[in-house]
Amino acid sequence: MVLAFLQQQELHQSSSSPLTQPLGDLAEDPHFRLTSRYALGVYRLSKMGIAVGGSAEDETSSEQLVDSMLEEVESSAATLVSRLRTVPVLAEMRGRDAALQRLEEVKGSISAVIAGSGDDQAPSVSPQSLEEDAQVFATIYQQGSDSLSQEQRQRLIDRHHWYARLALEQGGDESVSAHSVIWRTTIVLLSAGLGLLAAAATGFVLLAAAILLFAREHLRTHYRTLRSQSAALSRPLLEVVVFFLPLLLMLTVIGEGIGQLLGGVPLLAIVLWGALLAPLWPLLRGVSRRQLRQALGWNRGRGAGWEVLSGVGGYLAGIPVMAAGVAATFFISQVFETQPSHPAALEALSGGFWQILQIYLLACVWAPVVEESVFRGALFSHLRMRYSGATSALLSGIIFAAIHPQGLAALPVLTAIGFVLAMLREWRDSLIAPMTAHALNNFLAITLLLLLFR
């Protein structure tokens, strides 16, 4: 589920014609970069298959596949900056003449922007500078990379990153090694696809087995109802969720502020642990420690090792549910033209070692502990005093999705994830299983992003 969802992260499809596209800025569009590299990887694989002994029919099928991949690249180029960056992709798949023709089209679009009011200019790019970049690309394909000065080469790389290196390599400069990234992206995506298929097949089997065992009463839930204590616990548990968000915001500001004062020290992953004060709030409202531990699920269940295994198995069994969430998210993205995104994903693309380590700690340690304590602990127990396990899981999943910053389109998939995690709490009672599943989910997401984009 995570792998499929990430392949449509940052989805940008443009319905504008090239002449009406905005300039955009020089920041790399993750989806456009992923689409470009994957298209080139598929192209190279298809050519290798034909070279090994493909027939004329295979070559025709390969050409159709290339056309399809090029359409994907074109549709993801939402700005003139991205459209200019399609040039080296086109050169690889259709030759230099096609690249030069594209450059003329882009130059015409840029000239139209220059002749206009100029209101569409982005702070990091001007139409005049983009026109200069287009001319440098043209020089590469007409005269070769050796015809550029060192200053021109470095400026192009600084502004257009991997696309510039790919063009320079196509122009005869073998020192930039841009093609190796294409293979890595292709291998990672193909491996992710195969892994997803294997996980989905396992998940369907586990889910079907669980439903059958529950129906025959060979499998039961271990959640201990708190209805007899609802009057004393209900309101304090709900207050945990209410206090959590402002506390989290305050800690974020404090952590980032102190980190900047200390010269950029990454303190956020440490400071945010103060958010555990929110689940402890009921203690100040007269709830005993024993009652709070039971309500939050802070216990070892049937043993830590068994609970961890249950979390992994429960995550796999939840893949069909999460796959339905992915499908709904994709549908909303297409119909309402709104895209799921997450700021942490973009940080992971550009950060150094310590920043990436901080993201891993936040996503794979902090979030499973703190968010599970708040949402599958306090919130789920509050709802469970009134509703069935499935209803409580759904409601807590919706609230869990609503507080995340991924946008409207991500609500279905995040709700599905929250539902699966809450059903793990219902099944095991202990938070160890949902914490394990949460950590696994986030680890896969961050790791795949890094493999694809760094």
Side-chain angles (χ1 to χ4, degrees), residues 161-180:
H161 319 293
W162 173 76
Y163 309 96
R165 292 196 297 273
L166 181 59
L168 290 169
E169 188 171 357
Q170 291 166 343
D173 185 353
E174 298 181 357
S175 65
V176 289
S177 301
H179 282 79
S180 61

Side-chain angles (χ1 to χ4, degrees), residues 140 143-149 153 168 171-173:
I140 292 173
Q143 303 174 30
S145 299
D146 292 340
S147 61
L148 299 180
S149 67
R153 290 164 52 88
L168 290 169
D173 185 353

Side-chain angles (χ1 to χ4, degrees), residues 225-239 282 285-288 291 295 381-386:
T225 180
L226 301 170
R227 292 183 186 276
S228 61
Q229 304 165 349
S230 61
L233 277 174
S234 179
R235 187 177 181 87
L237 290 176
L238 183 59
E239 289 170 354
R285 299 278 274 110
V287 177
S288 70
Q291 289 175 324
S381 290
H382 169 78
L383 294 170
R384 193 65 176 83
M385 295 174 189
R386 294 162 175 78

Side-chain angles (χ1 to χ4, degrees), residues 14 16 107 127 154 156 183 201 215 231 280 364 377 406:
S14 172
S16 305
K107 286 180 182 179
Q154 192 58 49
L156 195 68
W183 287 118
L280 297 178
C364 303
Q406 280 93 325

Side-chain angles (χ1 to χ4, degrees), residues 81-149:
V81 170
S82 295
R83 191 161 178 78
L84 177 60
R85 291 170 177 172
T86 64
V87 169
V89 178
L90 199 60
E92 188 82 13
M93 300 173 75
R94 286 289 180 256
R96 296 192 178 193
D97 289 342
L100 290 170
Q101 182 178 349
R102 170 59 49 78
L103 281 168
E104 291 302 316
E105 295 173 359
V106 174
K107 286 180 182 179
S109 300
I110 296 172
S111 297
V113 173
I114 294 175
S117 62
D119 293 337
D120 192 38
Q121 295 184 26
S124 64
V125 65
S126 68
Q128 291 80 7
S129 65
L130 199 61
E131 190 174 42
E132 293 175 11
D133 295 339
Q135 184 55 50
V136 174
F137 275 113
T139 301
I140 292 173
Y141 292 115
Q142 290 171 339
Q143 303 174 30
S145 299
D146 292 340
S147 61
L148 299 180
S149 67

Side-chain angles (χ1 to χ4, degrees), residues 209-283:
I211 293 174
L212 181 61
L213 290 174
F214 269 116
R216 295 184 176 182
E217 298 184 351
H218 295 312
L219 189 66
R220 61 187 181 86
T221 63
H222 297 284
Y223 184 82
R224 290 177 290 175
T225 180
L226 301 170
R227 292 183 186 276
S228 61
Q229 304 165 349
S230 61
L233 277 174
S234 179
R235 187 177 181 87
L237 290 176
L238 183 59
E239 289 170 354
V240 168
V241 184
V242 174
F243 293 158
F244 173 69
L245 293 180
L247 177 61
L248 186 62
L249 177 61
M250 181 184 70
L251 291 171
T252 300
V253 173
I254 292 174
E256 292 181 348
I258 296 177
Q260 291 177 0
L261 289 175
L262 296 178
V265 177
L267 293 177
L268 191 60
I270 298 174
V271 174
L272 283 183
W273 282 102
L276 276 176
L277 292 173
L280 297 178
W281 167 255
L283 293 176

